[in-house]
Amino acid sequence: MTDRIRRGPISIEELLQETSGVDAGALVVFGGTIRAFDEDRDVAALDYDVHREMAEERILRIEDEIAAREGVLACRIVHRVGYVPAGEDSVYVVVRGRHRPEAFQAAKDGIDRVKQEVPIWKEEVDPDGSRRAFSSEHGTPLAPEPEQDTSAARSVGGTSS
Amino acid sequence: MEVKISFYGNLINLAGGRSHTLRVEGRPPTVADLRAAVARAFPEVAPHLEHTAVGMGTELFGDDAVLQADQEISLLPPVSGG
């Protein structure tokens, strides 16, 4: 199992070191931080649920596809799950590229894809401890990939032998 | 067929917990049959099933896919990470 999903704070220094290289002229880091306010409410924390095995696989796929782009040299994405207090970071996308345009675009696409494709869900925790799950209408539905949809029966059967 | 199912995200509270065992009818039972069985067994989840994906292992499957008795099945509502 890889370590793109973590419980507890993420070391950004570790991610910078893992992606370092002498060919990169641009480094872009996106960090997602838990806001202490949402509209008119105080927020103590977000509590993230995850399908860990699927999330690890999907994040690795996103990293690989972004890192394969022309001008992108490295991409690393790590998402924190469980209880994340307000003011702390829940996700980092680190991209190193030859030049800044492709690095900026890659980091933006990386976090956009995390929000749309990775099986992670959040629940808002109020200062009094009450909880409010993000409703389904505010998320992005997952769907089978087209080539897997019609052949699902065969591929599932094949993995059980 | 009896299958193990796991709910995620906001579906956990609606289903009364993460993990359950469910009987699914069908010859052979498919994802569509599973959805129908979930709707009957978990009425509060039923309104959310239209936008809920069904996973086995790390893959997602459409309604025609055949269930396997040894596969744990995941019910995944729209995602909201980040």
Side-chain angles (χ1 to χ4, degrees):
Chain A
M1 179 73 76
T2 50
D3 61 352
R4 301 313 194 257
I5 299 296
R6 300 189 191 177
R7 293 187 181 272
I10 305 163
S11 164
I12 196 165
E13 288 78 16
E14 171 195 327
L15 306 182
L16 295 178
Q17 189 163 0
E18 287 174 355
T19 57
S20 66
V22 295
D23 294 334
L27 163 65
V28 174
V29 177
F30 171 81
T33 306
I34 310 303
R35 291 189 304 269
F37 305 95
D38 184 35
E39 298 175 349
D40 59 343
R41 295 189 306 268
D42 290 342
V43 174
L46 293 183
D47 199 354
Y48 290 91
D49 186 29
V50 62
H51 187 304
R52 181 163 190 156
E53 190 179 7
M54 193 183 295
E56 290 277 355
E57 186 178 288
R58 289 190 168 225
I59 286 177
L60 290 177
R61 186 192 313 169
I62 293 168
E63 285 182 352
D64 288 347
E65 291 176 5
I66 286 177
R69 292 180 180 182
E70 182 70 29
V72 176
L73 301 175
C75 175
R76 184 62 50 92
I77 300 169
V78 176
H79 202 302
R80 182 175 172 183
V81 298
Y83 188 91
V84 184
E88 296 192 15
D89 298 335
S90 60
V91 60
Y92 287 122
V93 177
V94 175
V95 172
R96 292 187 189 267
R98 293 194 196 286
H99 306 286
R100 67 183 183 280
E102 53 264 42
F104 274 125
Q105 187 63 50
K108 179 186 183 305
D109 293 345
I111 187 60
D112 286 349
R113 289 188 62 181
V114 166
K115 294 173 82 73
Q116 293 164 3
E117 300 175 26
V118 179
I120 294 174
W121 303 268
K122 58 193 165 197
E123 189 174 62
E124 216 168 66
V125 184
D126 292 344
D128 66 3
S130 61
R131 289 168 174 260
R132 188 172 33 253
F134 276 62
S135 65
S136 298
E137 305 88 71
H138 295 135
T140 303
L142 298 173
E145 293 176 31
E147 65 269 24
Q148 292 170 342
D149 197 356
T150 55
S151 62
R154 287 189 297 278
S155 70
V156 171
T159 58
S160 64
S161 58
Chain B
M1 175 192 296
E2 286 218 332
V3 295
K4 291 180 180 174
I5 60 174
S6 294
F7 291 98
Y8 287 84
N10 65 327
L11 300 184
I12 297 172
N13 287 337
L14 296 173
R18 165 95 74 197
S19 300
H20 301 266
T21 301
L22 185 67
R23 179 150 196 88
V24 183
E25 305 296 342
R27 297 183 181 183
T30 63
V31 167
D33 297 321
L34 170 85
R35 289 180 183 277
V38 170
R40 284 192 297 271
F42 303 95
E44 291 190 52
V45 172
H48 301 267
L49 283 174
E50 182 184 354
H51 298 296
T52 293
V54 174
M56 291 182 256
T58 61
E59 300 295 336
L60 301 175
F61 293 95
D63 281 352
D64 293 339
V66 174
L67 304 182
Q68 297 289 315
D70 57 349
Q71 291 267 346
E72 181 154 328
I73 296 166
S74 305
L75 287 123
L76 311 166
V79 299
S80 58

